Amino acid sequence: MNRVWSRIKNWLIAMGSPPHFYRWATSSLPWLAGLAVIVFCAGLIWGLGFSPTDYKQGDVYRIIYIHVPSAILAESIYIFMAISGFISMVWRAKIAGMLINSAAPLGAGFTLIALLTGSIWGKTTWGTWWVWDARLTSTLIMFFLYAAIIGLHSSIENKTKGDRAVSILAVLGVVIVPIIKKSVDWWQTLHQPSTFTLTSSPSMSPDMYLPLLVCVLGFYCLFIFMLTNGLRAEIISRERDKSWVKKQFFKY
Amino acid sequence: MTNRDSTLDWFMLVLRRDLTLSFRRSATYITPLIFFLIVVTFFPLALGPSQSLLSSMAAGIIWISALLSSLLAVEGIFSEDFRDGTLDQYFVSSEPVFVLIFAKVLCHWLVCGAPIILASVLSSVFLYLPSGVLFALIISLLLGTLFMSLLGALGAALSLGRSAILSAIIVLPFSIPTLLMGTAIMSAAINQQDYSGFISIMGAMLAIGIPGLCLLTVEAILLNYE
């Protein structure tokens, strides 16, 4: 047990060094890409093509196979960023700082997809593009938080400094996101009872639920693939003056 | 100062120094006040002078204006001390820096927050705020503007030497719980319900926020020394 633990620790420490991570990413990227394509396509084809039609909503409900995974990712990417922010604040690991920088645009993108698909779904089932429902509102706020992080990072010229500034925001965010969610819930119940709830439908049948699960997994794989790919580019652009990059690309 | 001086003495020293500096320059406490009154005046101009409409929106309008003006006011809190080296002295002193930072924020709140709260009493007349909720307005703004000053100080530290709008973008999403709690207090007071629970939550947020945000602010200021 102890040996396994120390091997994991050594592996993590090794991963913190940019050249090592770069080599790992280069060799595992095809596998990640293949896995992402297979799971993502399988989930989408199963969900969009073969799962049964909903008796009440018809085929419109199939947007759930895009909407729910991206909403789940929007939140988990934020938590992921906060963890990397904490690591970069405490241990000053270079990779952790770069991770926030590459994950933030992805998180903002998934949040935007969740908002857009949700609003299209809402138009067809509720008859309106937008309601000030607690969940919609907190997702919108989530998008603003991502925008704040991206804006702050892009305004700071020194990238390493920007990483640390952003990690402060990410750590503050993970404390405040639950508070935002809770307070938005209260705000909603205070002002008016929620007209529509997303959770009131009866529990889904397995042949609708399983494809959704595969879709969520597929979105996660896609995220990991895109993150690794983005991180590779980030490493090269930041370390372009280092000798290992020159050796790798120019053979001198 | 001798070695026997406690952290509290340093805290009071920084507070006194900042208060003196602020009162020497009337702009520090007049500007947020005028900004607050102008923003409040804009709402009736934009929405129309209907008494019932304004009365139902008064609490929200006052809260948004107070948030914006205390945020804008705190924007330059560190820039001068950073430029003339006073902040450097904080870091080389052996005292915990976040206590000294808190003294700065507290001074700022006393100088800018208090006039805004006074002006909010005036604007509650402008906006036909229902009578009997003045106490709730004052107490919610007291807690809320202090939290905004703390958040704004973090934003100011992160965007030191950059545009003010960046600081606003950073801070505003994080100020949403304060805004919601404050307006929850107000709507509970207008409906004559008990609002002590919301006040407790705001107090709890402050209790965590004062040390937490001051520590993060110190971390953010340190970024500028690299």
Side-chain angles (χ1 to χ4, degrees):
Chain A
M1 192 61 216
N2 226 345
R3 270 186 51 207
V4 174
W5 177 238
S6 73
R7 276 186 70 182
I8 292 175
K9 208 173 109 190
N10 285 341
W11 184 76
L12 279 178
I13 291 172
M15 276 310 195
S17 112
H20 193 275
F21 184 90
Y22 180 83
R23 278 190 283 276
W24 176 83
T26 313
S27 60
S28 61
L29 210 54
W31 298 98
L32 288 176
L35 188 71
V37 166
I38 290 169
V39 182
F40 186 74
C41 290
L44 276 192
I45 291 170
W46 190 6
L48 297 182
F50 297 99
S51 65
T53 308
D54 188 71
Y55 77 101
K56 223 156 81 186
Q57 295 188 14
D59 279 328
V60 160
Y61 95 96
R62 287 181 203 278
I63 205 166
I64 198 176
Y65 295 113
I66 297 169
H67 176 72
V68 169
S70 33
I72 290 176
L73 269 186
E75 283 177 21
S76 19
I77 292 176
Y78 202 89
I79 297 168
F80 172 77
M81 276 168 50
I83 295 170
S84 339
F86 185 76
I87 292 173
S88 109
M89 245 165 97
V90 176
W91 290 288
R92 302 276 148 89
K94 263 189 193 169
I95 287 284
M98 294 183 197
L99 268 176
I100 308 181
N101 193 24
S102 342
L106 295 177
F110 280 119
T111 318
L112 204 59
I113 292 173
L115 283 172
L116 285 178
T117 51
S119 126
I120 292 168
W121 197 6
K123 180 66 186 167
T124 50
T125 51
W126 302 337
T128 167
W129 293 105
W130 184 261
V131 261
W132 287 100
D133 172 76
R135 228 190 265 207
L136 276 72
T137 313
S138 50
T139 310
L140 185 63
I141 295 169
M142 198 81 183
F143 180 71
F144 292 147
L145 291 178
Y146 277 119
I149 285 179
I150 296 172
L152 179 63
H153 199 285
S154 66
S155 78
I156 299 176
E157 221 142 273
N158 182 338
K159 296 271 185 175
T160 326
K161 224 170 102 178
D163 285 346
R164 287 182 52 199
V166 158
S167 56
I168 292 173
L169 268 198
V171 168
L172 175 65
V174 84
V175 178
I176 223 150
V177 160
I179 302 177
I180 290 177
K181 285 203 170 289
K182 208 68 220 161
S183 57
V184 167
D185 276 346
W186 279 331
W187 162 72
Q188 190 40 247
T189 48
L190 260 178
H191 283 234
Q192 59 185 62
S194 149
T195 328
F196 311 102
T197 50
L198 297 169
T199 48
S200 67
S201 60
S203 56
M204 298 167 81
S205 72
D207 43 0
M208 288 182 182
Y209 188 76
L210 284 177
L212 184 60
L213 212 62
V214 178
C215 273
V216 172
L217 275 179
F219 270 71
Y220 268 109
C221 292
L222 193 67
F223 164 65
I224 292 170
F225 164 67
M226 290 199 290
L227 183 70
T228 316
N229 202 19
L231 200 54
R232 263 180 89 218
E234 186 77 30
I235 289 173
I236 293 297
S237 86
R238 293 238 194 136
E239 308 250 302
R240 57 181 177 272
D241 293 333
K242 300 278 169 66
S243 61
W244 71 268
V245 177
K246 287 177 180 162
K247 254 181 216 149
Q248 186 98 30
F249 288 95
F250 306 113
K251 310 278 188 253
Y252 71 87
Chain B
M1 286 272 158
T2 58
N3 283 336
R4 279 179 301 141
D5 287 318
S6 66
T7 306
L8 189 65
D9 292 331
W10 283 97
F11 179 84
M12 294 308 290
L13 184 73
V14 172
L15 190 63
R16 253 202 318 275
R17 168 187 176 272
D18 273 30
L19 279 176
T20 316
L21 281 179
S22 309
F23 281 112
R24 292 275 160 78
R25 234 175 321 163
S26 57
T28 47
Y29 51 92
I30 298 286
T31 323
L33 183 70
I34 301 292
F35 180 82
F36 174 82
L37 285 175
I38 290 176
V39 173
V40 164
T41 315
F42 267 32
F43 279 91
L45 294 180
L47 299 169
S50 146
Q51 185 166 345
S52 60
L53 177 71
L54 286 178
S55 166
S56 65
M57 301 180 74
I61 294 173
I62 292 175
W63 252 90
I64 291 176
S65 315
L67 277 192
L68 288 181
S69 44
S70 59
L71 178 69
L72 277 185
V74 84
E75 202 270 323
I77 181 172
F78 297 122
S79 50
E80 199 149 309
D81 281 359
F82 179 66
R83 221 177 307 128
D84 68 10
T86 314
L87 276 183
D88 308 23
Q89 298 304 314
Y90 291 178
F91 283 105
V92 296
S93 79
S94 56
E95 300 302 319
V97 185
F98 78 99
V99 176
L100 306 181
I101 296 294
F102 178 58
K104 279 190 80 67
V105 176
L106 190 66
C107 159
H108 180 273
W109 177 65
L110 289 174
V111 171
C112 299
I116 289 174
I117 290 167
L118 285 181
S120 73
V121 176
L122 180 67
S123 49
S124 73
V125 181
F126 281 175
L127 298 172
Y128 315 108
L129 188 76
S131 56
V133 298
L134 213 53
F135 178 71
L137 180 71
I138 291 172
I139 193 113
S140 66
L141 279 179
L142 268 177
L143 298 171
T145 47
L146 180 55
F147 197 81
M148 274 316 285
S149 293
L150 287 164
L151 266 180
L154 176 62
L158 281 173
S159 63
L160 203 59
R162 278 174 281 275
S163 69
I165 191 121
L166 177 70
S167 165
I169 284 183
I170 295 169
V171 169
L172 282 177
F174 292 97
S175 70
I176 287 168
T178 321
L179 176 69
L180 293 181
M181 282 301 131
T183 45
I185 290 175
M186 290 313 294
S187 58
I190 289 169
N191 297 330
Q192 292 175 337
Q193 291 161 343
D194 178 33
Y195 53 82
S196 57
F198 294 119
I199 289 185
S200 309
I201 293 172
M202 277 188 99
M205 276 162 54
L206 262 183
I208 301 170
I210 288 174
L213 285 171
C214 287
L215 282 170
L216 286 178
T217 306
V218 171
E219 191 71 24
I221 294 174
L222 272 175
L223 286 178
N224 297 291
Y225 286 104
E226 287 185 352

